[in-house]
Amino acid sequence: MSEPLQAATPPRARIAFRVGVVGHRPDRLPTAEGSLAIVRGRIADVLDEIARAVRAFAAGPGARFYETGATPRLTANSPLAEGADRIFAEEALRRGYGLTCVMPFAREEFERDFAGPEAREDESAAHFEAILREADKAGVLTSFELDGRRDRAHEAYGQAGRVVLSQSDLLVAVWDGGGANGVGGTFHTIEQAIAFGVPTLWIDSRAPHGWRLLRQEGDLASLTGEGPAPACPVPPESEMARAIEEIVSLELAPDGAEADHLAAYLAETKPRLNLAMIWKLFRDAMDVGRLRLPTVRVKDFEAQVRRGWPVTGDPDNAEAALRADSSWMNAQLRRHYAWSDKLADLYADAHRSGFVASSLLAGFAVFTALLPVAGDFSRRAAIATAIVEAVILWLLVGLPTTARRKRWHQKWLEYRVLAELVRELRILIPFGGARPPPRVAAHLATYGDPARSWMNWQARAIARDIGLPNARIDGDYVTTRSAELLEFLGSAAPPRGQIGFHHMNCERMERIHQRLHHMSLVLFAVTIAAVAGNWLLRFYRPDAPERWNAWLILFSAFLPALGAALANINNQGEFARLQRRSRAMAESLSALREQIAALAAGPGAPPLARVSDLAAQIAAMMVDENTEWRIVVLDLPHAAG
């Protein structure tokens, strides 16, 4: 099979916006046709304004960050319960939205809510089927059936609500201002939306059926006193348009320097050669004690990660039993991960090679400067060493200058964070979506909000574009997802997966740290011996040739400079800290792996909610560790000097 044409630049997501719904069943909606028609009209107005704002964004300068020429994707997320959910879905389908139906139970079980005495509207089951049929006929239906249990119905509805929230950039809440009606109810979902940072547009189901935007805890707290919340006023339509336009813009477009950095990433190209080999040569020499010449030619990025992200139809795919949903997920994310991961590797090589080279050159600058004196060189040889010294000094100035100008350091860290965020999506999307955005400790807030970084914007853009898979969550699905998590985590012996990576990285960092430390001590010890030898010659062998003293002086100056260079590499390389971090990560991930393995070994398939919680912990741990690592490394210098 021939290789496909390779992309020239990083892949871009399609412009997409997702809106979810939570609302009352018919018993808490207006009974008068006129009032219900106003509520329906308010929902239609919101959907119209969202579509208008997204189209305006697609026609503006922000569209340059997205796939060229692709039609914006609008998705409505609704469980299709009776009442507000169905009104919302019907109006969304009329306006060309896609429909993602998140069901709390398997479809057959969920339909029991709409039959017999459980039904709260006439021909409820037929209405449910008609909406699904309409969406399916239009080719815009995604069905995500959860594994909820009827004897824990509130938990099932709560889990469906969380999936809707994770898949929504704006939540439409049709609420009568009343208090909580249990886990999974309208008010509980509104509380969760605000806690997760999902803007919520409240449409009051009571007359005069106004609306209000809820964004912070204080917005909801002011409405939850004794008794129902006061009725919403009806602001001018232009105010709703402005509010929705702001929400769409904040979600879709980075600003300021973040926009510039995202544009720089999207303009990257794959180099043919990677000549920044000094770091890997130095690393291998310090780690295993021998030099291994790295590969200079840069292979196709996606081909390099294909083994870990298999897709049905790959020319070298050995995963004969690869599930369709696993192949779908890898196909959606593989290009995004490949480009961010491999570009991060290249910039890491450039930054680290520059730092190691400039550190060592600083030591050899001393050696070159004193060499003509110690060697009693001829005029021609002295000129040659002067030229070499000038080249070294030029490199000492040029390397850090080039590193700062080309942002090798920052790009390495930023692209690595993006790769980890994409890998997080691979873990979480099969379980219904992502957690709240990455956060940072208060004492590190001066480094900026990770949720406002261009990397998080790009990851969210990818997640919006992908959406959810068509999936029925049954025992086989959860068992497969659990097995994939176990494979992803891997093991320390034999080393594989994330645990194996951190275990090997811990051992490698420990060896490099110890060897650099010992070499620095040896060089300082030899320096002391050289200084002592020089004094002994002067006192006990005054007739010794002067060049002996000159060479001893040369080594007395060069060896501590070289030792300081190695100590500087050791210190700025953070090898000791990276070793401890990798050990902690390996231990923490191993503990989570044991929990997943115990669930998988239990009787029957584990519940989705439990495996999903563990997957969220894994993703949160990895992204938080990577975010904090970026902050720590960000303060390190670009290069020695």
Side-chain angles (χ1 to χ4, degrees):
M1 183 182 293
S2 61
E3 292 289 333
L5 293 175
Q6 310 302 341
T9 56
R12 298 165 185 248
R14 177 172 45 168
I15 295 174
F17 194 85
R18 308 164 298 180
V19 56
V21 68
V22 62
H24 294 310
R25 303 257 177 125
D27 58 330
R28 290 179 67 174
L29 290 176
T31 54
E33 284 297 324
S35 290
L36 191 59
I38 294 174
V39 172
R40 181 181 286 271
R42 293 273 184 268
I43 293 173
D45 289 343
V46 172
L47 293 168
D48 282 336
E49 292 298 343
I50 290 171
R52 189 176 297 116
V54 172
R55 286 196 298 268
F57 178 86
R64 71 185 189 277
F65 300 119
Y66 293 89
E67 185 178 338
T68 303
T71 303
R73 172 177 176 168
L74 295 170
T75 302
N77 296 294
S78 172
L80 290 185
E82 296 162 309
D85 285 10
R86 294 183 181 180
I87 295 172
F88 171 84
E90 289 170 339
E91 296 302 321
L93 288 173
R94 288 191 184 105
R95 286 156 178 79
Y97 282 67
L99 176 64
T100 296
C101 182
V102 181
M103 305 181 199
F105 311 102
R107 181 168 172 172
E108 297 82 1
E109 180 63 33
F110 189 37
E111 288 178 341
R112 288 177 52 193
D113 284 3
F114 318 132
E118 299 297 326
R120 301 184 186 182
E121 64 177 50
D122 295 337
E123 302 295 331
S124 181
H127 190 192
F128 174 77
E129 292 288 346
I131 296 174
L132 290 177
R133 190 163 49 250
E134 179 185 352
D136 189 41
K137 184 178 179 180
V140 295
L141 176 64
T142 298
S143 179
F144 197 76
E145 304 174 41
L146 295 169
D147 62 344
R149 291 170 46 180
R150 182 59 67 178
D151 58 346
R152 296 182 178 177
H154 283 297
E155 293 181 11
Y157 290 121
Q159 186 177 7
R162 286 191 295 274
V163 173
V164 168
L165 287 180
S166 74
Q167 293 297 308
S168 298
D169 309 308
L170 173 66
L171 180 71
V172 174
V174 182
W175 177 45
D176 63 7
N181 53 350
V183 174
T186 301
F187 182 76
H188 178 256
T189 304
I190 293 173
E191 284 185 310
Q192 283 194 315
I194 293 174
F196 288 172
V198 180
T200 302
L201 196 145
W202 168 29
I203 296 175
D204 197 341
S205 60
R206 303 163 298 176
H209 309 298
W211 63 272
R212 180 173 176 178
L213 190 61
L214 309 175
R215 304 200 67 160
Q216 301 174 354
E217 291 183 11
D219 297 335
L220 188 59
S222 65
L223 304 175
T224 55
E226 294 295 329
C232 263
V234 185
E237 290 186 11
S238 60
E239 190 172 326
M240 176 187 286
R242 283 195 300 270
I244 290 176
E245 183 179 2
E246 179 185 357
I247 290 169
V248 169
S249 178
L250 285 173
E251 180 63 32
L252 297 185
D255 53 10
E258 296 299 322
D260 294 338
H261 296 163
L262 175 56
Y265 169 72
L266 294 173
E268 292 279 5
T269 57
K270 182 186 77 67
R272 296 182 61 189
L273 303 175
N274 177 18
L275 300 178
M277 299 183 293
I278 294 176
W279 157 246
K280 286 179 177 168
L281 290 170
F282 179 84
R283 180 199 66 188
D284 291 343
M286 294 295 103
D287 179 24
V288 296
R290 65 176 182 272
L291 296 178
R292 294 183 293 193
L293 188 65
T295 302
V296 175
R297 189 175 70 86
V298 179
K299 297 180 181 178
D300 174 68
F301 290 158
E302 194 169 348
Q304 292 185 60
V305 305
R306 188 179 291 156
R307 185 179 182 86
W309 296 68
V311 172
T312 301
D314 281 344
D316 55 352
N317 180 24
E319 302 289 335
L322 189 67
R323 282 178 57 117
D325 44 35
S326 300
S327 176
W328 175 86
M329 176 57 57
N330 291 343
Q332 297 293 317
L333 292 173
R334 185 166 72 182
R335 294 174 305 136
H336 295 284
Y337 177 78
W339 274 86
S340 54
D341 178 68
K342 296 309 170 188
L343 284 172
D345 286 348
L346 290 173
Y347 280 108
D349 285 348
H351 165 72
R352 286 165 158 167
S353 293
F355 188 87
V356 169
S358 57
S359 296
L360 295 176
L361 285 172
F364 281 98
V366 175
F367 180 83
T368 307
L370 295 177
L371 187 58
V373 178
D376 192 20
F377 283 6
S378 66
R379 183 174 181 274
R380 182 174 297 179
I383 292 174
T385 55
I387 293 173
V388 171
E389 177 74 7
V391 171
I392 291 175
L393 293 176
W394 177 79
L395 289 172
L396 286 173
V397 174
L399 280 173
T401 300
T402 302
R404 280 190 290 269
R405 182 169 56 85
K406 293 184 175 292
R407 300 185 70 248
W408 291 346
H409 194 190
Q410 291 91 339
K411 286 182 177 180
W412 162 35
L413 303 177
E414 290 170 356
Y415 298 175
R416 175 55 53 211
V417 169
L418 176 58
E420 291 305 314
L421 289 171
V422 173
R423 186 150 46 183
E424 178 193 35
L425 294 177
R426 183 189 187 187
I427 296 173
L428 293 181
I429 285 177
F431 294 102
R435 67 182 179 92
R439 60 229 184 255
V440 68
H443 66 285
L444 297 175
T446 54
Y447 290 88
D449 181 3
R452 305 296 296 174
S453 69
W454 73 263
M455 298 85 76
N456 193 59
W457 256 302
Q458 179 69 357
R460 285 184 61 83
I462 296 167
R464 287 194 305 269
D465 184 19
I466 292 174
L468 289 177
N470 274 301
R472 182 187 180 100
I473 313 301
D474 53 17
D476 183 48
Y477 184 93
V478 180
T479 298
T480 300
R481 299 285 85 80
S482 300
E484 288 176 349
L485 279 177
L486 292 174
E487 181 66 22
F488 173 80
L489 291 171
S491 62
R496 55 187 178 85
Q498 287 298 296
I499 294 172
F501 165 78
H502 283 289
H503 179 74
M504 290 192 299
N505 194 57
C506 172
E507 293 184 339
R508 169 181 280 174
M509 295 299 106
E510 173 67 13
R511 285 192 294 268
I512 293 175
H513 168 67
Q514 291 296 335
R515 285 173 179 169
L516 286 173
H517 178 66
H518 292 155
M519 289 175 67
S520 297
L521 292 179
V522 168
L523 288 171
F524 280 111
V526 175
T527 299
I528 294 172
V531 171
N534 182 43
W535 282 100
L536 288 173
L537 282 175
R538 290 184 181 277
F539 280 103
Y540 295 103
R541 290 287 305 275
D543 57 338
E546 187 62 30
R547 64 177 180 275
W548 292 10
N549 297 92
W551 280 103
L552 287 172
I553 291 173
L554 169 62
F555 284 109
S556 298
F558 166 62
L559 293 179
L562 182 58
L566 295 178
N568 184 53
I569 294 172
N570 198 9
N571 181 53
Q572 300 299 334
E574 292 281 335
F575 300 114
R577 184 182 296 190
L578 290 174
Q579 175 257 328
R580 290 192 293 270
R581 291 172 74 90
S582 283
R583 176 182 290 123
M585 282 295 293
E587 292 172 352
S588 298
L589 291 174
S590 295
L592 289 173
R593 190 187 193 284
E594 290 178 4
Q595 294 182 55
I596 297 171
L599 283 174
L608 176 74
R610 184 69 184 116
V611 180
S612 178
D613 286 345
L614 291 170
Q617 291 181 50
I618 293 168
M621 185 184 302
M622 291 173 57
V623 172
D624 287 349
E625 189 272 340
N626 192 264
T627 301
E628 293 171 7
W629 164 81
R630 174 176 173 256
I631 289 172
V632 170
V633 180
L634 195 61
D635 276 340
L636 299 179
H638 299 276

